Amino acid sequence: MSRYTFADCLSWPERERMELVDGEVIVMAPPTQIYQAVVMEVSWQFANFSELSKIFES
């Protein structure tokens, strides 16, 4: 079995979702729509919290 390095990763296509773990390549599935919706909601909640924190610091 081949062991890969980070230098090898740099030559691979960027559109592929892969991880390099202990020299082994792990191909990752693309994110689902549900996952993306959850990430977006969490991002909005952090942004809202950040804005509220600025208001109460004054």
Side-chain angles (χ1 to χ4, degrees), residues 28-47:
M28 300 170 50
T32 63
Q33 287 181 330
I34 293 172
Y35 171 82
Q36 291 175 331
V38 168
V39 168
M40 198 61 171
E41 180 61 28
V42 169
S43 297
W44 279 112
Q45 294 298 328
F46 276 124

Side-chain angles (χ1 to χ4, degrees), residues 11-35:
S11 67
W12 298 337
E14 289 185 28
R15 66 184 176 276
E16 300 278 339
R17 293 179 48 93
M18 295 183 250
E19 287 188 7
L20 185 64
V21 178
D22 294 328
E24 293 183 38
V25 176
I26 299 175
V27 179
M28 300 170 50
T32 63
Q33 287 181 330
I34 293 172
Y35 171 82

